[in-house]
C-alpha cells in the first residue's frame, strides 16, 4: 500500500475511468473508492466535491467515519486506471502572504532600499484575490505566459513557483457577517498542496498600486486530493509568537498552525524543504481576516497560505528566493510539490502532490 | 412607456413574480417579457443569464432580432410586480483603473510626493481581481464594513463609491490562448452599471504591496439589467490619443470607447456626471490585456472600467475625488448610479440603474 494513504488519511478527489462520468472518490492506498457506488448518495455523483462540501461539518465527520468502515476489503478502482480531475469548483480564490521569512526575502530582493516588511504586515495577514478560473489540477501543463515587462512585450523570462498550501471552504457564510477565528473547523473542509505559478518580470512591472494580476493569473495548480481537516488532527502546533499583538478578531495569543512538511522537487531533485509549522499567520487568522469586513464565503472558496519559506536557505518556497533572483524555470522543467504531516495513527500522511511541467510559450 | 427602454434597447435580466421561480426576461418599457414563456427555450428557465450567454454571439444576435418581433403587443409582466435578481452568476471579477483623470486624482491624494501615475500606467491597463462572491444586485443594502485602519479596528469611517461600468463575458476562451483586441464582440455579452463600494481607510492600510483586498471585497453592486453590446452600436466613439503608443496586442491607434453618460445621485441629488467617452483604456484593450498571458475567460466573468472620472471637478466618479478626501458616506445615505447612451433609433437608451443604501455597521 502507498505510504501515507491509510485509514488515518482518506482524502477526497474527483475521478473518472475510461472516459466515464466524473465521480467523487476517496483514496485508500493505491486505490480509489467510488463513493457514489458505495453509498448511493447523490452528492457523490458530481463532477466536483462542492455538493458534498456544502452539507457541512457534521456530514463531513459522519462520512469520514462511514468511509473508514467501507474501504477495507472494498472493491477499489486501481489508481492507475483513474483519471484525476480538478476536485473543487473554485468559487473565489484568495492568496495570502503569511510567511515572515518569505515576505522578508521578497522585500530585500524587490525593495532593497525600503524596510523589508510592508507597514501593515505584522498587523494583519496581507492577501489579495487571484483568478479562480485558472486554478488547474496537478499535471496540467503550464504554458509560459507572455506579457509586458520593463523590457517590453514577450514571453516571461522569470517564470517561478510558489510552494503553498490551499484551504478549501465547504460551508458558506452570510454576507454582512464575519467568521470568528474559532470558525475554521466549521467552514474549512480540507487542505491541498498548491503551486502559485508566478511570472516575476510581469509582476514587477504591473503590481503598483493594485497588486499582482497577469503575473499570477495564468495558472495556479492544486493537488487532486483534498485532505480533510480531520486527518490533520495530530498536526496542530503552536506558532511562533506574534509581536505586536494583533487585533482581537485575529485571536491573539493562541495561534495554531499545521506541522506540514513541504518538498519542492525540480526535475526529480529535492531543491527545498519549506516548513509550514513556522508560518507567522495561522489558517484561522486568515479566515477571520478574510471575512471581518462582512464578505461572505461560498462553497468552493479557496484561500492559500502564500509562499512557505523557512529561515534557512534550503527552506525557501520560491526560486526567486532559492536562487536570489538570478535564475528561473526553463521550458521543459517539471516542478512537483510534495507535502506530509503527522497522522492520527502515529505515522505520517502524504498530502496529494501537485506537479506541472513548463511548456514553451506560443509564438 | 419608460424612456430609454424601447425597441432599440431590450436589456436582459432575471426576475421572479410572487415568490415563483427565477426566469430570464427582457425589459421593454415598464414591463418584462418572460423569455421562457415566450420562446420555450430551456436556457431561459434559469436563475441567471449564464446558460443563454454561453451560447455565443450568433445566438445573442438572433435572439435579439426574435425578441424585437415579440415584445410589441405581448403580455408583459408589470415591472412593479417583478422582483429583480442578480442577473449573472459571476465567475471571475476583475476591476481596472482605466481613467487617466481618476488615476491622477488618486495619486495626488494618496501619494502627494510621488508622480501621480504609477510607472506602468500608460503602458498597460492596470487591473486586479476582486471578490466575485460579493457582487450583488442593485437595491441590496450595503453594511458598513469593519476593518483595521491606521487608527485601529472599527467600522470604516471613509466609505466611498466608485462609479463604473461592468462588462459581462458570455463566450469563454481556452486556457493558454489569448483574446485579440478585436475580440470584444465575440466574447462580451453586455454592459451593466457598477458601483465598486470602497472603504478608503481599510484600503489605505492594507494595499501595499498586494493591492486592495478587504477595502473592496465587502460589496460590489451591479444593475439588474444587462444592456446587450448590440444596443450600444451607435455609442462608439474614438478615445483620446494614447501616448506612448501601447504594445501591438493592445491595438494602438484605433481605440474605441463608448459614449455612455453616467450620473452619481446621492440622496436624490445629482452630485456628479462622469463621462465614459473620455476614458484612456478601451474595453477591447482591457479584454486583450486580461487574457494576453493565456488566462482563460469563463461565461459570467465580469470586468469593470474602474472609476470613471472626467477632467472637470463635477465629473468625478468617487467621493474621494469629489470631496477631496474630506467627507464620505454616512449611514442611511443612498447612492444611485444612472447611465445612458445614444441608441440606434436616434434617441437615448437608459442603462439599468444601480442603487444601494448604507446601513449601520454591526456592533
Amino acid at each position: 500500500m502507498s505510504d501515507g494513504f491509510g485509514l488515518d488519511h482518506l482524502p477526497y478527489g474527483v475521478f473518472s475511468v475510461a472516459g466515464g462520468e466524473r465521480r467523487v472518490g476517496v483514496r485508500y492506498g493505491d486505490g480509489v473508492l467510488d463513493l457514489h457506488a458505495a453509498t448511493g448518495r447523490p452528492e457523490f455523483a458530481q463532477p466536483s466535491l462542492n455538493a458534498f462540501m456544502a452539507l457541512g461539518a457534521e456530514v463531513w465527520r459522519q462520512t469520514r467515519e462511514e468511509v473508514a468502515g467501507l474501504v477495507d476489503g472494498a472493491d477499489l478502482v486501481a489508481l492507475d486506471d483513474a483519471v484525476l480531475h480538478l476536485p473543487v469548483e473554485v468559487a473565489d480564490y484568495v492568496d495570502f502572504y503569511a510567511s515572515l521569512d518569505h515576505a522578508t526575502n521578497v522585500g530585500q530582493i524587490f525593495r532593497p532600499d525600503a524596510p523589508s516588511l510592508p507597514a501593515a504586515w505584522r498587523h494583519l495577514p496581507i492577501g489579495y484575490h487571484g483568478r479562480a478560473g485558472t486554478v488547474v489540477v496537478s499535471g496540467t501543463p503550464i504554458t509560459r505566459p507572455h506579457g509586458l515587462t520593463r523590457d517590453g512585450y514577450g514571453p516571461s523570462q522569470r517564470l517561478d513557483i510558489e510552494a503553498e498550501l490551499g484551504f478549501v471552504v465547504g460551508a458558506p457564510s452570510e454576507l454582512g457577517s464575519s467568521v470568528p477565528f474559532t470558525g475554521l473547523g466549521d467552514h474549512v473542509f480540507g487542505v491541498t498542496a498548491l503551486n502559485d505559478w508566478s511570472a516575476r518580470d510581469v509582476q514587477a512591472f504591473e503590481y503598483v498600486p493594485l497588486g499582482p494580476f497577469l503575473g499570477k493569473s495564468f495558472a495556479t495548480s492544486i493537488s487532486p486530493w483534498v485532505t480533510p481537516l480531520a486527518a490533520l488532527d495530530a498536526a496542530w502546533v503552536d506558532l511562533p509568537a506574534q509581536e505586536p499583538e494583533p487585533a482581537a478578531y485575529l485571536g491573539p495569543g493562541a495561534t495554531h498552525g499545521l506541522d506540514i512538511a513541504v518538498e519542492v522537487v525540480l526535475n526529480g531533485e529535492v531543491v527545498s524543504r519549506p516548513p509550514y509549522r513556522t508560518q507567522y499567520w495561522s489558517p484561522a487568522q486568515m479566515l477571520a481576516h478574510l471575512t471581518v469586513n462582512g464578505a461572505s464565503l461560498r462553497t468552493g472558496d479557496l484561500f492559500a497560505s502564500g509562499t512557505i519559506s523557512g529561515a534557512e536557505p534550503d527552506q525557501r518556497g520560491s526560486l526567486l528566493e532559492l536562487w536570489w533572483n538570478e535564475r528561473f524555470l526553463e521550458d521543459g522543467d517539471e516542478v512537483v510539490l510534495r507535502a506530509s504531516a503527522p497522522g492520527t495513527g502515529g505515522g505520517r500522511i502524504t498530502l496529494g502532490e501537485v506537479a506541472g511541467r513548463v511548456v514553451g510559450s506560443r509564438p
Side-chain angles (χ1 to χ4, degrees), chain A:
Chain A
M1 178 178 294
S2 284
D3 279 354
F5 289 97
L7 280 176
D8 57 349
H9 192 187
L10 302 176
Y12 293 86
V14 171
F15 75 103
S16 62
V17 176
E21 292 210 345
R22 297 182 189 200
R23 289 279 186 266
V24 174
V26 161
R27 179 162 172 188
Y28 180 58
D30 291 328
V32 182
L33 179 70
D34 180 330
L35 280 177
H36 184 247
T39 70
R41 284 160 54 179
E43 63 267 29
F44 297 131
Q46 294 281 339
S48 80
L49 299 179
N50 291 46
F52 169 54
M53 295 194 302
L55 298 176
E58 182 53 26
V59 173
W60 310 337
R61 194 194 59 71
Q62 289 168 2
T63 303
R64 183 167 166 78
E65 212 167 86
E66 186 184 346
V67 168
L70 284 172
V71 286
D72 241 347
D75 188 18
L76 303 179
V77 176
L79 198 58
D80 287 344
D81 295 336
V83 176
L84 302 177
H85 304 282
L86 188 67
V88 175
E89 187 184 339
V90 181
D92 271 300
Y93 165 51
V94 164
D95 194 20
F96 283 95
Y97 191 51
S99 155
L100 180 62
D101 292 301
H102 171 67
T104 303
N105 289 337
V106 168
Q108 286 176 8
I109 293 169
F110 283 149
R111 297 173 285 272
D113 300 326
S116 296
L117 290 180
W121 200 91
R122 286 179 180 272
H123 297 277
L124 53 82
I126 289 178
Y128 68 100
H129 285 88
R131 191 161 186 82
T134 54
V135 175
V136 297
V137 72
S138 175
T140 305
I142 303 302
T143 303
R144 181 181 295 272
H146 275 63
L148 274 175
T149 71
R150 292 192 181 109
D151 298 326
Y153 177 79
S156 170
Q157 302 300 312
R158 292 172 174 260
L159 183 57
D160 198 358
I161 59 146
E162 295 195 340
E164 308 195 10
L165 293 170
F167 296 86
V168 180
V169 171
S173 71
E174 290 293 317
L175 185 66
S177 74
S178 55
V179 174
F181 66 88
T182 53
L184 192 79
D186 294 332
H187 291 278
V188 168
F189 172 76
V191 180
T192 69
L194 183 148
N195 189 343
D196 173 26
W197 302 91
S198 299
R200 300 296 178 195
D201 40 5
V202 173
Q203 182 184 352
F205 189 56
E206 73 181 357
Y207 85 105
V208 175
L210 301 185
F213 183 35
L214 298 188
K216 302 272 196 178
S217 67
F218 55 97
T220 304
S221 303
I222 63 173
S223 48
W225 299 110
V226 180
T227 296
L229 213 53
L232 293 164
D233 276 353
W236 291 102
V237 291
D238 290 338
L239 290 182
Q242 297 179 330
E243 178 59 41
E245 183 172 283
Y249 79 88
L250 292 169
T255 52
H256 303 296
L258 289 163
D259 181 16
I260 298 177
V262 179
E263 286 183 338
V264 180
V265 185
L266 175 63
N267 299 326
E269 190 185 336
V270 176
V271 295
S272 180
R273 293 190 163 84
Y276 190 57
R277 61 173 296 137
T278 56
Q279 294 291 284
Y280 194 85
W281 295 104
S282 77
Q285 290 179 317
M286 296 191 287
L287 183 65
H289 185 63
L290 179 52
T291 60
V292 71
N293 66 346
S296 45
L297 299 175
R298 290 182 294 170
T299 298
D301 280 353
L302 172 68
F303 64 95
S305 60
T307 309
I308 303 166
S309 290
E312 302 304 319
D314 61 356
Q315 295 182 324
R316 293 168 178 166
S318 68
L319 301 181
L320 173 72
E321 296 161 86
L322 271 175
W323 298 338
W324 214 253
N325 206 19
E326 288 187 348
R327 200 153 56 88
F328 293 91
L329 291 171
E330 309 279 346
D331 289 352
D333 279 348
E334 188 189 46
V335 178
V336 178
L337 304 182
R338 297 185 190 136
S340 67
T344 54
R348 291 187 76 78
I349 62 172
T350 305
L351 280 73
E353 66 178 32
V354 53
R357 185 182 294 277
V358 178
V359 299
S361 52
R362 296 159 290 129

Coordinates of all heavy atoms in Angstrom, one line a residue, chain A residues 188-230:
Chain A
V188 N -13.9 25.2 6.9 CA -12.9 24.7 6.0 C -13.0 23.2 6.0 O -12.9 22.5 7.0 CB -11.5 25.1 6.5 CG1 -10.4 24.3 5.8 CG2 -11.3 26.6 6.2
F189 N -13.2 22.7 4.8 CA -13.3 21.2 4.5 C -12.0 20.5 4.6 O -11.8 19.4 5.1 CB -14.0 21.0 3.2 CG -14.1 19.6 2.8 CD1 -15.0 18.7 3.4 CD2 -13.2 19.1 1.8 CE1 -15.0 17.4 3.0 CE2 -13.3 17.7 1.4 CZ -14.2 16.9 2.0
G190 N -11.0 21.1 3.9 CA -9.7 20.4 3.8 C -8.6 21.2 3.2 O -8.8 22.4 2.9
V191 N -7.5 20.5 2.9 CA -6.3 21.2 2.5 C -5.7 20.5 1.3 O -5.8 19.3 1.1 CB -5.2 21.0 3.7 CG1 -3.9 21.7 3.3 CG2 -5.8 21.6 5.0
T192 N -5.2 21.3 0.4 CA -4.4 20.8 -0.8 C -3.0 21.4 -0.8 O -2.8 22.4 -0.2 CB -5.1 21.2 -2.1 OG1 -5.0 22.7 -2.3 CG2 -6.6 20.9 -2.1
A193 N -2.1 20.8 -1.5 CA -0.9 21.4 -1.9 C -1.2 22.4 -3.1 O -2.1 22.1 -3.9 CB 0.2 20.4 -2.3
L194 N -0.5 23.5 -3.2 CA -0.8 24.5 -4.2 C 0.5 25.1 -4.7 O 1.4 25.5 -4.0 CB -1.7 25.5 -3.6 CG -2.3 26.6 -4.4 CD1 -3.7 27.0 -3.9 CD2 -1.4 27.9 -4.4
N195 N 0.5 25.2 -6.0 CA 1.7 25.9 -6.7 C 1.1 27.2 -7.4 O 0.4 27.1 -8.3 CB 2.4 25.0 -7.7 CG 3.7 25.7 -8.2 OD1 3.9 26.9 -8.1 ND2 4.5 24.8 -8.8
D196 N 1.5 28.3 -6.8 CA 1.1 29.6 -7.4 C 2.2 30.1 -8.4 O 3.1 30.9 -8.1 CB 1.0 30.6 -6.2 CG 0.7 32.0 -6.6 OD1 0.1 32.2 -7.7 OD2 1.0 33.0 -5.9
W197 N 2.0 29.6 -9.6 CA 3.0 29.9 -10.7 C 3.0 31.4 -10.8 O 2.0 32.1 -10.8 CB 2.6 29.3 -12.0 CG 2.5 27.8 -11.9 CD1 1.4 27.0 -11.6 CD2 3.5 26.8 -12.1 NE1 1.6 25.7 -11.6 CE2 3.0 25.5 -11.9 CE3 4.9 26.9 -12.5 CZ2 3.7 24.3 -12.1 CZ3 5.6 25.7 -12.6 CH2 5.0 24.5 -12.4
S198 N 4.2 32.0 -11.0 CA 4.4 33.4 -11.0 C 5.4 33.9 -12.0 O 6.5 33.3 -12.1 CB 4.9 33.9 -9.6 OG 3.9 33.6 -8.6
A199 N 5.0 34.8 -12.8 CA 5.9 35.4 -13.8 C 6.5 36.7 -13.2 O 5.8 37.8 -13.1 CB 5.2 35.7 -15.1
R200 N 7.7 36.6 -12.6 CA 8.2 37.7 -11.8 C 8.4 39.0 -12.5 O 8.3 40.1 -12.0 CB 9.6 37.3 -11.2 CG 9.5 36.1 -10.3 CD 8.6 36.3 -9.1 NE 8.5 35.1 -8.2 CZ 7.6 34.9 -7.3 NH1 6.7 35.9 -7.0 NH2 7.6 33.8 -6.6
D201 N 8.8 38.9 -13.8 CA 9.1 40.1 -14.6 C 7.8 40.8 -14.9 O 7.7 42.0 -14.9 CB 9.9 39.8 -15.9 CG 9.5 38.5 -16.6 OD1 8.5 37.9 -16.2 OD2 10.2 38.2 -17.6
V202 N 6.7 40.0 -15.2 CA 5.4 40.6 -15.5 C 4.9 41.3 -14.2 O 4.4 42.4 -14.2 CB 4.4 39.6 -16.0 CG1 3.0 40.1 -16.1 CG2 4.9 39.0 -17.3
Q203 N 5.0 40.5 -13.1 CA 4.5 41.0 -11.8 C 5.2 42.3 -11.4 O 4.6 43.2 -10.9 CB 4.8 39.9 -10.8 CG 4.3 40.2 -9.4 CD 4.6 39.1 -8.4 OE1 5.1 38.0 -8.8 NE2 4.4 39.3 -7.1
A204 N 6.5 42.3 -11.6 CA 7.3 43.5 -11.1 C 6.9 44.8 -11.9 O 6.9 45.9 -11.3 CB 8.8 43.3 -11.3
F205 N 6.5 44.6 -13.1 CA 6.1 45.8 -13.9 C 4.7 46.3 -13.6 O 4.4 47.5 -13.6 CB 6.2 45.5 -15.4 CG 6.1 46.7 -16.3 CD1 6.9 47.8 -16.2 CD2 5.1 46.7 -17.3 CE1 6.8 48.9 -17.0 CE2 5.0 47.8 -18.2 CZ 5.8 48.9 -18.0
E206 N 3.8 45.4 -13.3 CA 2.4 45.7 -13.2 C 1.9 46.0 -11.8 O 0.8 46.5 -11.7 CB 1.6 44.5 -13.8 CG 1.5 43.3 -12.8 CD 0.8 42.1 -13.3 OE1 0.2 42.2 -14.3 OE2 0.8 41.1 -12.5
Y207 N 2.6 45.6 -10.7 CA 1.9 45.4 -9.4 C 1.7 46.7 -8.6 O 1.0 46.6 -7.6 CB 2.7 44.4 -8.6 CG 3.8 44.9 -7.8 CD1 3.7 45.1 -6.4 CD2 5.0 45.3 -8.4 CE1 4.7 45.6 -5.7 CE2 6.1 45.8 -7.6 CZ 5.9 45.9 -6.3 OH 7.0 46.4 -5.5
V208 N 2.2 47.8 -9.0 CA 2.0 49.1 -8.3 C 0.8 49.8 -9.0 O 0.9 50.1 -10.2 CB 3.2 49.9 -8.2 CG1 2.9 51.3 -7.6 CG2 4.4 49.2 -7.5
P209 N -0.2 50.2 -8.3 CA -0.5 50.0 -6.9 C -1.6 49.0 -6.6 O -2.0 48.8 -5.4 CB -1.1 51.4 -6.5 CG -1.9 51.8 -7.7 CD -1.2 51.2 -8.9
L210 N -2.0 48.2 -7.5 CA -3.2 47.3 -7.3 C -2.8 45.9 -7.1 O -3.7 45.0 -7.0 CB -4.2 47.5 -8.4 CG -4.8 49.0 -8.5 CD1 -5.9 49.0 -9.6 CD2 -5.3 49.5 -7.2
G211 N -1.5 45.6 -7.1 CA -1.1 44.2 -6.8 C -0.9 43.3 -8.0 O -1.0 43.8 -9.1
P212 N -0.6 42.1 -7.7 CA -0.3 41.1 -8.8 C -1.5 40.8 -9.7 O -2.6 40.7 -9.1 CB 0.2 39.8 -8.1 CG 0.2 40.1 -6.7 CD -0.5 41.4 -6.4
F213 N -1.4 40.7 -11.0 CA -2.5 40.5 -11.8 C -2.1 39.4 -12.9 O -2.2 38.2 -12.6 CB -3.0 41.8 -12.4 CG -4.2 41.8 -13.3 CD1 -5.2 40.9 -13.0 CD2 -4.3 42.6 -14.4 CE1 -6.4 40.9 -13.8 CE2 -5.4 42.6 -15.2 CZ -6.4 41.7 -14.9
L214 N -1.6 39.8 -14.0 CA -1.2 38.9 -15.0 C 0.0 38.0 -14.7 O 0.2 37.0 -15.2 CB -1.0 39.6 -16.4 CG -2.2 40.3 -17.0 CD1 -1.9 40.8 -18.4 CD2 -3.4 39.5 -17.0
G215 N 0.8 38.5 -13.7 CA 2.0 37.8 -13.3 C 1.6 36.5 -12.5 O 2.5 35.7 -12.3
K216 N 0.3 36.4 -12.2 CA -0.1 35.2 -11.4 C -1.3 34.5 -12.1 O -1.6 33.4 -11.7 CB -0.6 35.7 -10.0 CG 0.4 36.4 -9.2 CD 1.3 35.5 -8.4 CE 2.0 36.2 -7.3 NZ 2.8 35.2 -6.5
S217 N -2.1 35.2 -12.9 CA -3.4 34.7 -13.3 C -3.4 33.7 -14.3 O -4.5 33.2 -14.7 CB -4.3 35.9 -13.7 OG -3.8 36.5 -14.9
F218 N -2.3 33.3 -14.9 CA -2.2 32.3 -16.0 C -2.4 30.9 -15.5 O -2.9 30.0 -16.2 CB -1.0 32.4 -16.8 CG 0.3 32.3 -16.0 CD1 1.0 31.1 -15.9 CD2 0.8 33.5 -15.3 CE1 2.1 31.0 -15.1 CE2 1.9 33.4 -14.6 CZ 2.6 32.2 -14.5
A219 N -2.1 30.6 -14.2 CA -2.3 29.2 -13.7 C -1.9 29.1 -12.2 O -0.9 29.7 -11.8 CB -1.4 28.2 -14.5
T220 N -2.7 28.4 -11.5 CA -2.5 28.0 -10.1 C -2.8 26.5 -10.0 O -3.9 26.1 -10.4 CB -3.3 28.8 -9.2 OG1 -3.1 30.2 -9.4 CG2 -3.0 28.4 -7.7
S221 N -1.9 25.7 -9.7 CA -2.1 24.2 -9.6 C -2.4 23.7 -8.2 O -1.7 24.2 -7.3 CB -0.9 23.5 -10.2 OG -0.5 23.9 -11.5
I222 N -3.3 22.8 -8.1 CA -3.6 22.2 -6.8 C -3.6 20.7 -7.0 O -3.7 20.1 -8.1 CB -4.9 22.6 -6.2 CG1 -6.1 22.2 -7.0 CG2 -4.9 24.1 -5.9 CD1 -7.5 22.5 -6.3
S223 N -3.4 20.0 -5.9 CA -3.3 18.6 -5.9 C -4.7 18.0 -6.1 O -5.7 18.6 -5.8 CB -2.8 18.1 -4.6 OG -3.4 18.7 -3.5
P224 N -4.8 16.8 -6.7 CA -6.1 16.2 -7.0 C -6.8 15.7 -5.7 O -8.0 15.5 -5.7 CB -5.8 15.0 -7.9 CG -4.4 14.7 -7.6 CD -3.7 16.0 -7.2
W225 N -6.1 15.5 -4.6 CA -6.7 15.0 -3.4 C -6.7 16.1 -2.3 O -5.8 16.8 -2.1 CB -5.8 13.8 -2.8 CG -5.7 12.7 -3.8 CD1 -4.7 12.3 -4.5 CD2 -6.8 11.9 -4.2 NE1 -5.0 11.3 -5.3 CE2 -6.3 11.0 -5.2 CE3 -8.2 11.8 -3.8 CZ2 -7.1 10.0 -5.8 CZ3 -9.0 10.8 -4.4 CH2 -8.5 9.9 -5.4
V226 N -7.9 16.2 -1.7 CA -8.1 17.2 -0.7 C -8.1 16.5 0.6 O -9.0 15.6 0.9 CB -9.5 17.9 -0.9 CG1 -9.7 19.0 0.3 CG2 -9.6 18.6 -2.2
T227 N -7.1 16.8 1.5 CA -7.0 16.1 2.8 C -8.0 16.7 3.7 O -7.9 17.9 4.0 CB -5.6 16.3 3.3 OG1 -4.7 15.6 2.4 CG2 -5.4 15.8 4.7
P228 N -8.9 15.9 4.3 CA -9.9 16.5 5.3 C -9.1 17.1 6.5 O -8.1 16.6 6.9 CB -10.7 15.3 5.7 CG -10.4 14.2 4.8 CD -9.1 14.5 4.2
L229 N -9.7 18.2 7.0 CA -9.0 18.8 8.2 C -8.9 17.8 9.3 O -7.9 17.8 10.1 CB -9.9 20.0 8.6 CG -9.2 21.2 9.2 CD1 -8.0 21.7 8.3 CD2 -10.1 22.3 9.5
A230 N -9.9 16.9 9.4 CA -9.9 15.9 10.5 C -8.6 15.0 10.4 O -8.2 14.5 11.4 CB -11.1 15.1 10.4

